[in-house]
Amino acid sequence: MPPAPPAQPPTAPAAPAYGYPQAPAPGSAYGYPQTPPPAQPGYGYPGQPQQGYGYPGQPATQPMAPQGDPGGSGGGRKLNTQATIIVSAVVAVALIVGGGLWYAKGKDGDKKDESKSGSTQGADGGKDGKEGGSTGGGGKEQAPANVTSKVLFQVPQPKVADLVHVDGSWLTDKVYAKSGVNEIVGYDPAKGTQLWKLPLPGAVCAATTHVTSDGKTAIVYEGAKASGEKYARCTEVAVLDLATGKLAWTNSVKEGDRKTMYEEVTIGGGTVATGGTSGGSAWDLATGKLLWQPKITTDQCKDAGYGGGEALVAVRKCGDYDNPTVTIQPLNPKTGAPAASYKMPAGVQYAHIVSTKPLVVAADVGDTAGDGSGISDFFSIDDKTGKLLARIPAPGDKYAADCDSTDVEKCTSVAAGGGKLYIPTEQHDGAGGSGYSGRTNEIMAFDLATGQPVPGKADAGDGSSLYPLRMDGNNVIAFKKPPYDKGSQIVSVDGGSFKQTVLLQNPADTSVRDALSQFGPEYGEIRFNQGKLFMSATSVMKPSTLTSETKYLLIGLGTG
């Protein structure tokens, strides 16, 4: 166990091929699924947030009952492609040694169904990463001499009377910041001491994960309650300076006698863009000047939301609510003018931006995911021309990536970069046989230029599961959920060889494992940087009277 807290509280083994997509019979039924209840409490803004909380620095010591496995084993989800499969020896080999089904290049989504083993193609068969065959490397994360971590500090969940949303956490070299109840707090990442506290008039409603090179990020938060209203509205857009804990600027848009509400925010190309059912707006990141507002047209076209990062991409919806036309539009971030446009296939109600550079979109086409993940297929799009490069089927019973049901930029357990898309498979029986203790999965890669499965995979090993967190150069930073008797890990997966390098080995102590089981890639926020890992909740609720276990807002671990 970690040392006692200070007196004062601080202010891959070989395995059978698995998870390759297979085509259903032509004409499979389509229809949109209802999202199942999340493992963590859902999004909501009920009631007045309650009292604040302290910031103790003691390590996690109280055991927590492990939560049920949210990854699941798949199953129950309908296959999702409309392609027919060529029944031949080639297909049989493909399903055994690493092939699969993909959509080759086609005009405006026209698709060509093929099935190949890909067993003769090397992992670095492309040029400069543009053909999906980039080698690994180029990342900043390196394994320290001693990868064993300890609990640096943790913060218990604040006491609230109802469900309160606490979305948002950011990690830089100098600060870890986390949203709380009507506030954001910055901590020293190593010591847990409070560096700053930013009080807010209401809850943080939305937060981007993007952070600029000078430590700026963006949030949407509740303003003051209007006269006669029971709840505050998510109307205030702000840029937060993570170094100082100050808001660089705050802005809002008034239409008539009420301010516009926002549900999403992102940063891309020097622009802060917000979206929601009431409309979108875009501000200059440096000055807070309102740059543009997309207008709702007579045919009910509007920007549903935006994906950020190196670029800014809009998801635009037109037509009826039940049968919309959804278009992906890379934008000029200063004017909002589309630079290109790709029309999503019929049957898409919501599209999710996985990455803007490369441009990768996830969608549930005609409700074939079947599990509420929001994903039946991934779409690789040329951001200069708007042409489809590849459509990559990701059947829900095979793959474990997830996107929020309606948000444009809230996908987890998926990463794209170096010409490849990385997706984890659902858990399945490992080499050691059936039973929960032997459940495992893999991370698979697909060529973004062709949709072809890339030979090789990153095996989690029996009893463990791997989930991509983000790219690091051409490598993938992944969270490895452990067997019942071991600690979790952060690993770097080489984008060329799939070799795994352990960057952080967390304690196997029961108390630490149980505390960390409150969080996970599927239902919490995970931030890792330079040997430090922070896991936090996205919402808190009134304590249960059925248990006395401590619930945590966040836990930080590191090598020193």
Side-chain angles (χ1 to χ4, degrees), residues 359-396:
L359 180 50
V360 179
V361 177
D364 186 359
V365 182
D367 183 22
T368 53
D371 66 339
S373 67
I375 307 170
S376 67
D377 298 81
F378 291 93
F379 297 79
S380 174
I381 301 168
D382 187 316
D383 63 345
K384 299 294 192 299
T385 65
K387 291 183 178 180
L388 179 69
L389 299 176
R391 177 173 168 176
I392 303 170

Side-chain angles (χ1 to χ4, degrees), residues 239-282:
V239 163
L240 169 64
D241 186 333
L242 293 170
T244 65
K246 306 292 185 181
L247 295 181
W249 54 262
T250 299
N251 230 323
S252 59
V253 171
K254 195 169 184 179
E255 295 184 1
D257 59 349
R258 305 184 79 182
K259 290 183 177 181
T260 299
M261 290 181 61
Y262 301 111
E263 297 154 17
E264 300 183 53
V265 64
T266 193
I267 296 175
T271 293
V272 175
T274 56
T277 55
S278 299
S281 302

Side-chain angles (χ1 to χ4, degrees), residues 326-369:
V326 178
T327 306
I328 308 302
Q329 296 182 332
L331 302 178
N332 178 325
K334 298 306 179 184
T335 67
S341 184
Y342 171 71
K343 183 179 177 181
M344 296 292 287
V348 171
Q349 285 193 319
Y350 299 97
H352 314 279
I353 305 296
V354 174
S355 167
T356 58
K357 290 281 187 178
L359 180 50
V360 179
V361 177
D364 186 359
V365 182
D367 183 22
T368 53

Side-chain angles (χ1 to χ4, degrees), residues 21-250:
Q22 302 180 38
S28 297
Y30 286 103
Y32 199 78
Q34 297 297 316
T35 304
Q40 278 282 340
Y43 189 104
Y45 308 97
Q48 284 275 14
Q50 302 299 307
Q51 63 192 35
Y53 50 90
Y55 305 97
Q58 70 268 23
T61 57
Q62 298 191 32
M64 304 289 298
Q67 297 185 0
D69 174 36
S73 57
R77 308 208 290 192
K78 293 180 286 185
L79 297 180
N80 60 309
T81 62
Q82 294 176 302
T84 57
I85 197 164
I86 303 173
V87 182
S88 67
V90 174
V91 177
V93 172
L95 295 175
I96 296 173
V97 301
L101 179 72
W102 71 93
Y103 294 91
K105 295 182 181 179
K107 181 180 179 182
D108 298 328
D110 290 343
K111 45 193 179 290
K112 178 181 178 182
D113 302 344
E114 294 184 77
S115 186
K116 298 181 180 180
S117 71
S119 59
T120 60
Q121 299 184 13
D124 55 352
K127 297 179 181 180
D128 301 325
K130 295 180 180 179
E131 298 302 323
S134 63
T135 58
K140 297 180 180 179
E141 301 289 354
Q142 302 294 325
N146 181 6
V147 299
T148 302
S149 75
K150 62 181 179 181
V151 176
L152 300 174
F153 68 99
Q154 86 290 320
V155 176
Q157 286 192 5
K159 296 184 183 302
V160 296
D162 211 331
L163 180 69
V164 178
H165 190 60
V166 290
D167 185 57
S169 59
W170 307 268
L171 177 61
T172 71
D173 292 340
K174 297 181 178 180
V175 64
Y176 171 73
K178 174 61 187 169
S179 296
V181 176
N182 292 12
E183 65 183 8
I184 302 175
V185 179
Y187 306 90
D188 182 300
K191 301 176 183 178
T193 52
Q194 182 178 310
L195 300 177
W196 49 260
K197 182 195 294 188
L198 174 66
L200 295 170
V204 174
C205 311
T208 181
T209 59
H210 301 299
V211 177
T212 64
S213 58
D214 60 347
K216 304 291 197 311
T217 191
I219 61 172
V220 172
Y221 64 92
E222 294 174 335
K225 287 190 294 184
S227 176
E229 290 190 343
K230 183 177 181 180
Y231 302 122
R233 291 159 54 87
C234 300
T235 58
E236 310 306 301
V237 182
V239 163
L240 169 64
D241 186 333
L242 293 170
T244 65
K246 306 292 185 181
L247 295 181
W249 54 262
T250 299

